[in-house]
Amino acid sequence: MPNIKNLISSSLVNAACGFVIGVGGFNELSVLGMAWWTILELQNRPSFQIDWRDVVVLCIGVLMLLYWSFPDPEIPQSLNGLTMPEIGKALIWMIFSPLMLHSKPFDKGRALLLGIASGLACYSGLTLIASFLFQPFQGSYRHLFNIFTGGLDAGSTQPGYVACGVLMIILRLESRFLPAAIALTLGYVVQAQNRSAMILLLFVIGLLVWERRIFLLNKFRSNAAIFMTIIAFIMPLLYGISQFSFAKRFGDIFSIGRVETHRVGFDRLLRTYYTADSSLLSQVPVNLVIKDKWWHNILLDSMRNSGFLGHCLSLIWIAGLLFSCYYWFSRGEILGCSVAMVCLAILWTSIPIGVGSFELMSILTLTLLSLYFPVHTSSSSHP
């Protein structure tokens, strides 16, 4: 009985630390949560051997320092460069993350990650609820009600990405909360038409259908009439959804989205490799994107603001996630592989380090979840 009480107590403490980290959005409150958890871990921390995953998270910490040191000429308030709070955030991350990756048993890290997901969901959920309550229904890609300022100045991108992060954490760790995570993501699909939320929601639903394909086929054979009735209700619903501009938002991916920007950016990156001139990526052509000076790709943007050093650090980040994909896939862990793939997709199409706050906390948590390799009793076991 004492062991059970200790386990419950440990799980609650880890979940509480995680909630503080998540709800802080990588600001001072998040630093407090990471420091709190780190101190608790160091009290009974045995020595461990450093491996390649520790190198990955340390490189991410250094990359954050380089990003925040960059005085962006397009943003006057960034001319101060690196600040002491930013140094503190990066340093605590570089201490917290290796300890988390080596924490055992897996339940301890699992409780921590679920706590972070709940904190992120708190921010993202409140933003969505406030946008429904305090602004007219928009069904389009515009500003949302900001719960911190009380005005319509929160873009739909950041809370939408955070909802995507919560969805993937829940999908990997705790399936019983999956309906709530799907509802949260669907809210951003309907209210803000967030492209990432739309695509990820379809991906997750497709993944769930594929994993349960045998069960669904058997049910369809035995209950064909019920399925046809459901389809009869779904078709009008899909027609109603099509009346919004969802189709246009999908089309934007290829028209005014990132495809052409990335094509130009990677063409310049190749020239940068053989000319050793990182300034080729210092500006995004104005005819490619509007009101945006970033490439929205970790490899390109790291070269833009940190030169070859930052670019190499971002390559290590990407390489770590690619190996994580291989690790989970080779063990039949499709959900673990999916988390790493989504993490790669977000880094490929967003600027979480440049934006900071909740979006950054989300991508960092997905990275830790991707790299958190538990000891399996069988190739099909799930944490």
Side-chain angles (χ1 to χ4, degrees):
M1 185 65 70
N3 291 334
I4 296 177
K5 289 183 178 180
N6 290 337
L7 179 60
I8 294 174
S9 176
S10 175
S11 297
L12 289 175
V13 169
N14 281 277
C17 289
F19 181 81
V20 172
I21 294 171
V23 81
F26 213 64
N27 288 323
E28 285 72 12
L29 191 60
S30 293
V31 173
L32 178 62
M34 286 188 284
W36 177 19
W37 190 86
T38 299
I39 292 171
L40 294 176
E41 276 294 287
L42 288 175
Q43 289 179 351
N44 299 302
R45 166 56 54 184
S47 60
F48 60 87
Q49 186 175 0
I50 294 177
D51 60 31
W52 65 270
R53 299 174 301 156
D54 304 308
V55 175
V56 172
V57 295
L58 291 176
C59 286
I60 294 172
V62 176
L63 184 60
M64 285 191 284
L65 289 173
L66 293 176
Y67 254 81
W68 296 331
S69 300
F70 177 62
D72 193 336
E74 304 297 334
I75 307 176
Q77 60 264 34
S78 71
L79 295 178
N80 293 328
L82 192 64
T83 64
M84 289 304 296
E86 290 170 339
I87 294 175
K89 293 175 188 178
L91 291 179
I92 192 63
W93 159 263
M94 288 189 278
I95 300 172
F96 163 81
S97 299
L99 289 174
M100 183 268 158
L101 291 176
H102 291 280
S103 64
K104 295 180 181 180
F106 187 81
D107 284 345
K108 182 182 293 186
R110 182 173 180 275
L112 177 72
L113 291 168
L114 284 174
I116 294 175
S118 65
L120 292 171
C122 182
Y123 157 75
S124 191
L126 287 176
T127 301
L128 182 62
I129 292 171
S131 70
F132 278 121
L133 293 178
F134 300 110
Q135 70 181 112
F137 174 73
Q138 55 177 3
S140 62
Y141 183 71
R142 297 196 204 108
H143 288 296
L144 298 175
F145 186 87
N146 191 330
I147 59 175
F148 298 113
T149 66
L152 299 179
D153 57 0
S156 66
T157 301
Q158 177 167 292
Y161 268 119
V162 174
C164 292
V166 171
L167 176 61
M168 294 311 297
I169 296 169
I170 296 301
L171 176 69
R172 177 74 178 106
L173 294 179
E174 191 59 72
S175 59
R176 61 177 172 166
F177 296 136
L178 189 57
I182 288 177
L184 178 63
T185 310
L186 180 62
Y188 284 98
V189 171
V190 174
Q191 175 71 337
Q193 292 197 26
N194 183 279
R195 258 196 315 246
S196 299
M198 282 190 276
I199 295 172
L200 187 60
L201 194 60
L202 292 175
F203 171 76
V204 168
I205 293 174
L207 183 62
L208 294 174
V209 170
W210 174 255
E211 283 201 325
R212 293 162 175 79
R213 61 191 182 279
I214 304 299
F215 171 80
L216 292 174
L217 284 173
N218 291 334
K219 283 293 183 182
F220 181 81
R221 292 191 188 99
S222 60
N223 299 287
I226 296 176
F227 270 83
M228 294 304 295
T229 304
I230 293 174
I231 292 174
F233 279 102
I234 289 178
M235 292 305 292
L237 178 63
L238 292 177
Y239 175 78
I241 292 176
S242 68
Q243 299 309 298
F244 295 105
S245 57
F246 286 103
K248 180 180 182 302
R249 288 294 291 156
F250 276 114
D252 287 347
I253 297 173
F254 302 99
S255 58
I256 61 173
R258 305 300 173 191
V259 175
E260 180 63 15
T261 303
H262 286 169
R263 187 194 67 78
V264 173
F266 279 99
D267 178 69
R268 293 190 179 190
L269 182 62
L270 290 175
R271 282 188 283 154
T272 298
Y273 284 157
Y274 61 77
T275 62
D277 182 12
S278 60
S279 65
L280 291 173
L281 288 162
S282 61
Q283 289 186 336
V284 182
V286 294
N287 61 314
L288 293 180
V289 290
I290 302 174
K291 297 180 181 179
D292 201 340
K293 303 301 178 183
W294 292 90
W295 295 96
H296 284 254
N297 181 283
I298 189 67
L299 298 179
L300 303 177
D301 288 323
S302 61
M303 181 70 84
R304 175 183 182 251
N305 77 349
S306 310
F308 279 95
L309 175 58
H311 182 66
C312 290
L313 295 173
S314 68
L315 282 172
I316 294 173
W317 192 349
I318 295 295
L321 290 171
L322 287 173
F323 185 83
S324 177
C325 285
Y326 167 76
Y327 176 92
W328 293 119
F329 182 78
S330 65
R331 284 156 178 78
E333 291 275 6
I334 189 64
L335 297 183
C337 182
S338 298
V339 171
M341 290 171 58
V342 168
C343 195
L344 284 167
I346 294 176
L347 287 175
W348 207 260
T349 58
S350 182
I351 48 174
I353 299 182
V355 174
S357 193
F358 291 93
E359 187 177 331
L360 177 56
M361 191 70 254
S362 177
I363 192 66
L364 292 177
T365 305
L366 290 179
T367 298
L368 289 178
L369 181 56
S370 300
L371 298 176
Y372 195 17
F373 300 159
V375 177
H376 289 268
T377 56
S378 68
S379 61
S380 63
S381 61
H382 291 271

